[in-house]
């Protein structure tokens, strides 16, 4: 929430400064147009400085877009996808902190079951902030993929260890044979 307020106030400050700059440039341009040809030469020089002034503002807006607006839109899109893909049996958490299991889904509402006494609540989908079951499924899939990867390397290392044991035991047998022969 603090981040959103900071971005909002930053956006407001940048837009106000751009508006003030535009007003100042417009007033300056009107005065320059009313002056003589000598003054118009100086206005052409001032016109070059307009780009020098507007370029940093444009860069600030671009930076603001890529740092604040675009990632927020991406998070909002992921949240909407999660809310629309809720299934019966998913464990969810609402924005207010209510934890429950989805019993029934509708167009824009979800019925959840909470507590040991199985209280049922109907809530709006926009109020759901987290799908715990989906996160657990994702963690399980990542763990299974990691286990599968480690199993394939583990089998190879186990084979190497078995080969070492076999070679080691053969070497020991040869040493025993030499000792017995001496």
């Amino acid at each position: 929430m603090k981040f959103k307020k900071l971005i909002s106030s930053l956006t407001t400050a940048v837009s106000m400064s751009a508006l003030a700059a535009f007003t100042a440039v417009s007033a300056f341009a009107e005065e320059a147009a009313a002056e003589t040809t000598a003054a118009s030469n100086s206005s052409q020089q001032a016109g070059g400085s307009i780009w020098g002034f507007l370029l940093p503002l444009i860069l600030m807006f671009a930076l603001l877009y890529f740092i604040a607006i675009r990632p927020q839109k991406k998070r909002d899109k992921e949240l909407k996808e999660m809310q629309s893909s809720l299934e019966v049996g998913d464990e969810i958490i609402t924005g207010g902190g209510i934890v429950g299991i989805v019993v029934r889904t509708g167009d824009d509402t979800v019925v959840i079951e909470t507590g040991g006494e199985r209280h049922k609540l109907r809530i709006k989908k926009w109020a759901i902030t987290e799908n715990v079951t989906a996160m657990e499924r994702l963690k399980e899939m990542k763990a299974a993929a990691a286990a599968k990867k480690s199993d394939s390397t583990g089998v190879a290392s186990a084979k190497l260890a078995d080969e070492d044991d076999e070679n080691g035991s053969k070497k020991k047998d040869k040493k025993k044979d030499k000792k017995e022969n001496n």
Side-chain angles (χ1 to χ4, degrees), residues 134-150:
M135 290 175 52
E136 288 175 358
R137 280 189 223 136
L138 182 63
K139 287 179 184 176
E140 288 175 5
M141 287 176 26
K142 286 182 180 180
K148 186 175 182 181
K149 185 177 179 182
S150 67

Side-chain angles (χ1 to χ4, degrees), residues 12 25 30 41-43 76-77 138 143 161 172 182:
T12 304
V25 169
E30 288 175 6
N41 286 338
S42 67
S43 71
D76 289 344
K77 183 180 175 184
L138 182 63
K172 290 177 185 175
N182 290 335

